[in-house]
């Protein structure tokens, strides 16, 4: 198994080098040279596996022997041993033809734990094997940060710095990130947006000398492992729902920000899973809706919404989809990304737009629509949706053919976003782990959103081990 860059200027590399490189050294994103194909027969045999065994089947086809099978199995067991539900990602029926896939039973109550528990353990494994210290640098809209910190806190050989937009994350998200008092963790609250954080991090990662000097590693979904680990639950949910409904094809509605989670669904489909429509659910930061409807991808004005983890304008993983849309032609991807840099937009032609609309439907959910969806489902079904999941459900309502079955990804627990739940006049009880956070002290530095102040702080955190 080889991995290549969407922009074509990185030599073929293996799985572990792909994990370590994160962002491709040519500024593109890493993808498998060939996507492993799963036959119908194989799907049949996979349909009865536990989550962990399924994860092993899927992940091992990309690892391709670089990690011995037993060690990979141990990494997977350890990663999902921290989850509170025995099924890891259980599926719940809400109505006829309507299911939610609960992805929030990990340590920080959001779906990011599924990939980041695994990635944290993988970094630890690599660090032990190679003796190399690993310095993780990431930007977060709230959930990735908490989850990545939880994945590596206290782990030897790893230090982590997370940038979050100051005052733009929920109270519980901020507490989860900043009440960790381990020496290897640094929280920088930037006076800016998630997009500012992500842009600065990309600038640092693109500087290959700097990246190598500090062994900088990525935990954002620019890292292919994030995507890979997230394909597993599409398979898991498909098997449960196909069994229960007798349907051969399942649609998914996915709350989307950086296009990572939904790209995992696209990859699962490319591997052979009978996924029907993938519904892109966004909030008022609805660039992707515009793209699916008009074929023009153009970030605009940043909006703060009830679903802050999706307050993203520039969707990093969009480039991975673009690669497949442009017939796997790296020169064409590079040209489009150059156009994006100079003109601030990407446009595709009629024929490509038809393909986009075959792959995806999309709906940008307005603020009041999000809250109304939470209230409506709470009243009618007793199920409490978090505001991100509510965007997914609202998009399911506008975009799913009622004859077809749809699974909405429940990306977070409602307790993480009580500010939005309260606006619906709903009182919820917090899980114990979240209640405890309010008693703890916060550790973070508030900094300007400029590269120089980030670099300054990184030097302090990382210099101890760099010669
Ligand atoms: C990160 C996040 C999303 C968006 O996922 P992407 O992979 O960035 O598209 C949606 N909901 C929640 C709760 C999240 O934390």
């Amino acid at each position: 198994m080889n991995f290549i860059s969407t922009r074509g200027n990185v030599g073929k590399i293996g799985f572990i080098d792909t994990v370590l490189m994160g962002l491709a050294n040519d500024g593109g994103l890493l993808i498998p040279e060939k996507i492993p194909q799963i036959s119908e027969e194989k799907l049949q045999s996979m349909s009865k596996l536990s989550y962990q065994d399924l994860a092993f089947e899927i992940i091992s086809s990309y690892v391709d022997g670089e990690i011995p099978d037993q060690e990979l199995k141990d990494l997977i067991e350890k990663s999902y041993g921290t989850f509170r539900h025995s099924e890891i990602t259980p599926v719940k029926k809400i109505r006829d033809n309507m299911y939610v896939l609960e992805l929030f039973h990990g340590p920080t109550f959001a779906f990011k734990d599924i990939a980041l528990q695994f990635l944290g353990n993988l970094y630890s494994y690599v660090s032990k094997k190679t003796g190399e210290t690993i310095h993780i640098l990431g930007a977060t809209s709230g959930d990735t940060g908490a989850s990545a910190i939880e994945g590596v806190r206290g782990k030897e050989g790893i230090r982590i710095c997370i940038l979050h937009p100051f005052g733009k994350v929920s109270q519980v998200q901020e507490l989860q990130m900043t009440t960790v008092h381990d020496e290897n963790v640094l929280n920088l609250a930037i006076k800016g947006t998630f997009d500012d954080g992500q842009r600065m991090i990309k600038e640092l990662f693109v500087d290959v000398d700097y990246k190598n000097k500090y062994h900088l590693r990525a935990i954002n979904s620019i890292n292919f492992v994030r995507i890979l680990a997230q394909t597993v639950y599409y398979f898991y949910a498909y098997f449960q729902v196909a069994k229960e409904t007798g349907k051969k094809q399942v649609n998914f509605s996915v709350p989307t920000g950086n296009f990572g989670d939904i790209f995992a669904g696209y990859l699962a489909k490319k591997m052979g899973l009978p996924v029907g429509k993938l519904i892109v659910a966004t909030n008022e930061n609805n660039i992707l809706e515009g793209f699916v409807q008009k074929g023009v991808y153009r970030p605009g004005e940043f909006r703060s919404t009830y679903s802050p983890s999706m307050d993203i304008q520039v969707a990093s993983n969009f480039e991975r989809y673009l690669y497949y849309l442009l017939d796997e032609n790296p020169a064409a991807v590079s040209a489009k990304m150059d156009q994006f840099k100079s003109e601030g937009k990407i446009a595709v032609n009629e024929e490509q737009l038809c393909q986009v609309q075959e792959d995806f439907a999309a709906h940008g959910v307005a603020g009041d629509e999000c809250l109304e969806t939470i209230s409506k489902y709470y009243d009618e079904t007793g199920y409490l949706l978090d505001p991100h999941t509510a965007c997914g459900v609202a998009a399911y309502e506008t975009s799913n053919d009622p004859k077809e079955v749809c699974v909405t990804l429940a990306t977070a627990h409602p307790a993480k976003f009580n500010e939005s739940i309260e606006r619906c006049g709903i009182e919820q009880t917090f899980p114990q782990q979240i209640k405890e956070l309010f008693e703890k002290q916060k550790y973070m530095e508030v900094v300007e959103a400029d590269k120089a102040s980030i670099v300054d702080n990184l030097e302090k955190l990382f210099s101890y081990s760099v010669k």
Side-chain angles (χ1 to χ4, degrees), residues 392-404:
V393 168
Y396 144 84
E397 288 198 342
T398 59
S399 309
N400 190 61
D401 179 337
K403 293 187 292 296
E404 296 173 4

Side-chain angles (χ1 to χ4, degrees), residues 110-112 143 255-261 309-310 312 388 411-412 417:
F111 87 94
K112 304 292 201 297
D143 289 325
T256 306
N258 230 339
F259 209 72
D261 205 4
S309 302
M310 288 158 40
I312 294 175
H388 305 79
T411 50
F417 302 98

Side-chain angles (χ1 to χ4, degrees), residues 406-426:
C406 184
V407 175
T408 299
L409 272 52
T411 50
H413 190 287
K416 282 196 99 161
F417 302 98
N418 197 44
E419 292 92 334
S420 307
I421 303 295
E422 271 180 336
R423 282 178 179 265
C424 303
I426 298 169

Side-chain angles (χ1 to χ4, degrees), residues 275-296:
V275 173
K277 271 270 184 299
L278 286 162
I279 301 170
V280 177
T282 69
N283 58 27
E284 286 147 313
N285 296 284
N286 56 355
I287 298 88
L288 292 164
E289 182 195 26
F291 176 71
V292 172
Q293 264 143 32
K294 302 202 181 76
V296 181

Side-chain angles (χ1 to χ4, degrees), residues 23-276:
L23 184 71
N25 282 349
D26 63 358
L29 295 176
L30 295 165
I31 40 162
E33 186 181 29
K34 277 202 201 85
I35 296 174
Q37 297 299 302
I38 301 180
S39 67
E40 228 171 284
E41 255 181 350
K42 176 90 183 172
L43 277 176
Q44 194 66 32
S45 74
M46 286 163 83
S47 69
K48 295 175 196 76
L49 297 179
S50 69
Y51 189 92
Q52 289 86 335
D53 290 344
L54 188 59
F56 175 77
E57 280 295 322
I58 293 168
I59 295 172
S60 62
S61 63
Y62 289 82
V63 172
D64 200 18
E66 276 190 52
I67 301 171
D69 283 358
Q70 192 53 49
E71 291 182 67
L72 181 58
K73 279 183 187 163
D74 292 346
L75 283 173
I76 290 170
E77 285 299 329
K78 193 168 170 196
S79 302
Y80 300 110
T82 56
F83 278 59
R84 295 178 302 277
H85 198 288
S86 61
E87 274 190 81
I88 315 302
T89 63
V91 179
K92 292 232 165 96
K93 181 173 178 174
I94 305 294
R95 293 194 157 148
D96 280 346
N97 280 346
M98 190 219 170
Y99 291 78
V100 296
L101 172 59
E102 291 186 342
L103 301 173
F104 50 71
H105 295 287
T108 69
F109 295 81
F111 87 94
K112 304 292 201 297
D113 288 330
I114 290 164
L116 286 168
Q117 284 286 305
F118 180 67
L119 185 54
N121 286 316
L122 192 57
Y123 276 139
S124 195
Y125 171 87
V126 172
S127 169
K128 274 191 200 118
K129 285 262 152 158
T130 61
E132 180 197 288
T133 306
I134 288 188
H135 292 155
I136 296 172
L137 177 60
T140 184
S141 56
D143 289 325
T144 291
S147 187
I149 289 170
E150 193 57 43
V152 303
R153 64 187 291 185
K155 284 201 164 101
E156 226 176 284
I158 301 186
R159 295 206 160 192
I160 183 168
C161 173
I162 295 291
L163 274 53
H164 75 263
F166 181 54
K168 292 190 171 66
V169 297
S170 83
Q171 194 183 10
V172 171
Q173 285 179 319
E174 185 185 276
L175 287 166
Q176 282 181 330
M177 282 186 276
T178 62
T179 56
V180 174
H181 191 36
D182 289 82
E183 251 196 346
N184 68 336
V185 176
L186 174 66
N187 279 289
L188 297 180
I190 59 167
K191 294 182 194 161
T193 65
F194 168 77
D195 292 296
D196 295 326
Q198 177 155 267
R199 182 178 31 78
M200 287 187 288
I201 281 191
K202 270 196 156 183
E203 280 173 26
L204 291 174
F205 277 119
V206 137
D207 182 345
V208 175
D209 290 336
Y210 187 81
K211 172 166 145 182
N212 290 342
K213 178 176 170 200
Y214 285 98
H215 335 134
L216 288 187
R217 305 299 175 215
I219 42 88
N220 283 102
S221 53
I222 53 176
N223 196 316
F224 181 74
V225 175
R226 284 270 305 263
I227 309 292
L228 175 58
Q230 289 169 196
T231 61
V232 176
Y233 50 69
Y234 283 92
F235 283 83
Y236 189 78
Y238 172 84
F239 294 139
Q240 314 305 312
V241 171
K243 221 176 293 171
E244 195 172 310
T245 60
K247 298 248 162 109
K248 290 247 161 7
Q249 210 179 56
V250 174
N251 299 336
F252 287 90
S253 180
V254 187
T256 306
N258 230 339
F259 209 72
D261 205 4
I262 197 157
F263 184 79
Y266 179 78
L267 183 62
K269 187 174 181 175
K270 283 218 164 265
M271 290 166 77
L273 190 71
V275 173

